[in-house]
Amino acid sequence: MLAIFEAVAITLWLTKDNIFYLFNFSYIGVSIAIGVFLFIKNYKHARRVVQLLVGLYMLVYLGLISQENMQIEGFWYYLFTGVFEAATIHYAVAKIFGPLIFGRGWCGYACWTAMVLDFLPYKTPAQPRKAIGWIRYIVFAASLIFVAALFLAKVGNIERIMFWAFIIGNVLYYAVGIILAFAFKDNRAFCKYICPITVFLKPMSYFALIRIKCDKSKCISCGKCKRVCPMDVDVTDNSRKRENGTECILCMECTKNCPKKAL
Ligand code: SF4
Ligand code: SF4
Ligand code: SF4
């Protein structure tokens, strides 16, 4: 993972002639490497360490201090202006092409929304999934329409609007995420039903190179992996069509809890 992120860091630094990219992607790569090291050492909060290192950096430094809208509105904004800069690069690496390699690793190790939601008490869902995942497409379309309308109406100073959209959007995400977590007794309810980023993440992670696989010769079908999974993935099915397969956030709870080390 460090090698992948260093390759991105050096490529962008040299092609964009901007040393920020070297710092940015090296920092993320080193954070992930620290997490992998802690995971190998069986430190139980390894994932949370990475989530805080990367999530806080992106929210506080990139979002609040550098005033870069890294939410989906920011992605549309930079896409429409034709600027291949921070938010578009971030989406390309973390949410569009990166998932072909590391699936929804973003959701398990970097997202600043989930960084807060994962502190809530419902780490494994208490109830079956609800059939309301279609809401994500409405939120996705609304974000696109919002930014397109700003451009069509030729509103001035869209950059400033994007900064405030980032602040208000995050407050709304946290509020809705926390309310849903308590209502459904599920920390990740926001991820399952509302988050518009999953419109990119789900289809791309279907083809992910890095996946959890089950060694059927060791598995005793005890079902523990599914009970501890925050995303309701049927991880004992090795096919890409497994139930909720595109929801896996690589949190490793299933591998840690499998009594037969079959995962
Ligand atoms: S689904 Fe959305 S909110 Fe949840 S972790 Fe992924 S990007 Fe973050
Ligand atoms: S926890 Fe391990 S042994 Fe039990 S069903 Fe899952 S993979 Fe099989
Ligand atoms: S518990 Fe396993 S299957 Fe479920 S999200 Fe985490 S890594 Fe993926």
Side-chain angles (χ1 to χ4, degrees):
M1 292 303 291
L2 182 57
I4 291 170
F5 277 88
E6 276 308 321
V8 173
I10 292 167
T11 306
L12 286 171
W13 168 40
L14 297 177
T15 53
K16 307 287 295 177
D17 194 21
N18 187 344
I19 200 156
F20 162 77
Y21 293 111
L22 181 66
F23 161 73
N24 181 71
F25 287 100
S26 296
Y27 174 82
I28 295 170
V30 168
S31 300
I32 295 169
I34 290 171
V36 172
F37 175 76
L38 294 175
F39 184 79
I40 292 166
K41 294 282 172 198
N42 287 326
Y43 178 57
K44 69 175 182 172
H45 299 301
R47 183 180 72 86
R48 302 288 282 132
V49 169
V50 186
Q51 212 177 20
L52 287 164
L53 283 173
V54 182
L56 281 174
Y57 161 70
M58 300 200 84
L59 176 65
V60 178
Y61 179 71
L62 294 183
L64 301 179
I65 297 174
S66 302
Q67 304 202 351
E68 184 87 34
N69 186 331
M70 310 291 276
Q71 300 270 87
I72 194 160
E73 305 79 37
F75 170 69
W76 298 129
Y77 169 65
Y78 288 106
L79 201 66
F80 290 166
T81 48
V83 180
F84 189 62
E85 287 299 338
T88 27
I89 291 174
H90 161 66
Y91 269 72
V93 173
K95 295 161 177 174
I96 299 177
F97 299 113
L100 293 172
I101 299 173
F102 45 75
R104 285 179 63 176
W106 163 262
C107 298
Y109 296 82
C111 173
W112 60 86
T113 307
M115 171 186 80
V116 170
L117 298 179
D118 279 353
F119 278 112
L120 301 177
Y122 307 108
K123 304 215 179 304
T124 49
Q127 303 162 2
R129 265 184 184 244
K130 316 230 170 316
I132 55 170
W134 48 267
I135 298 175
R136 64 166 63 93
Y137 300 103
I138 295 178
V139 182
F140 183 87
S143 71
L144 177 57
I145 292 167
F146 167 64
V147 181
L150 292 176
F151 275 88
L152 289 173
K154 296 190 169 44
V155 174
N157 208 357
I158 300 184
E159 187 111 22
R160 196 78 200 134
I161 294 173
M162 281 299 118
F163 173 67
W164 284 105
F166 179 77
I167 305 272
I168 295 166
N170 270 294
V171 171
L172 277 176
Y173 277 17
Y174 284 131
V176 173
I178 291 168
I179 290 168
L180 276 186
F182 280 94
F184 293 158
K185 296 194 177 357
D186 180 358
N187 286 357
R188 291 284 183 151
F190 181 86
C191 303
K192 291 173 186 171
Y193 312 124
I194 311 288
C195 178
I197 316 296
T198 55
V199 175
F200 293 129
L201 289 168
K202 280 169 74 68
M204 301 311 268
S205 63
Y206 180 85
F207 302 99
L209 189 66
I210 299 175
R211 305 168 69 226
I212 310 285
K213 288 202 188 136
C214 177
D215 181 344
K216 295 283 190 184
S217 65
K218 291 185 186 167
C219 175
I220 54 168
S221 302
C222 66
K224 188 150 191 208
C225 47
K226 201 162 177 192
R227 285 199 296 280
V228 298
C229 178
M231 302 303 283
D232 318 297
V233 181
D234 181 4
V235 76
T236 54
D237 175 0
N238 282 330
S239 81
R240 291 199 179 264
K241 290 188 177 147
R242 65 186 170 200
E243 189 184 7
N244 299 317
T246 58
E247 298 280 275
C248 177
I249 57 170
L250 297 176
C251 67
M252 305 292 172
E253 285 307 312
C254 53
T255 63
K256 282 193 273 183
N257 284 282
C258 173
K260 294 290 170 186
K261 299 283 168 241
L263 297 169

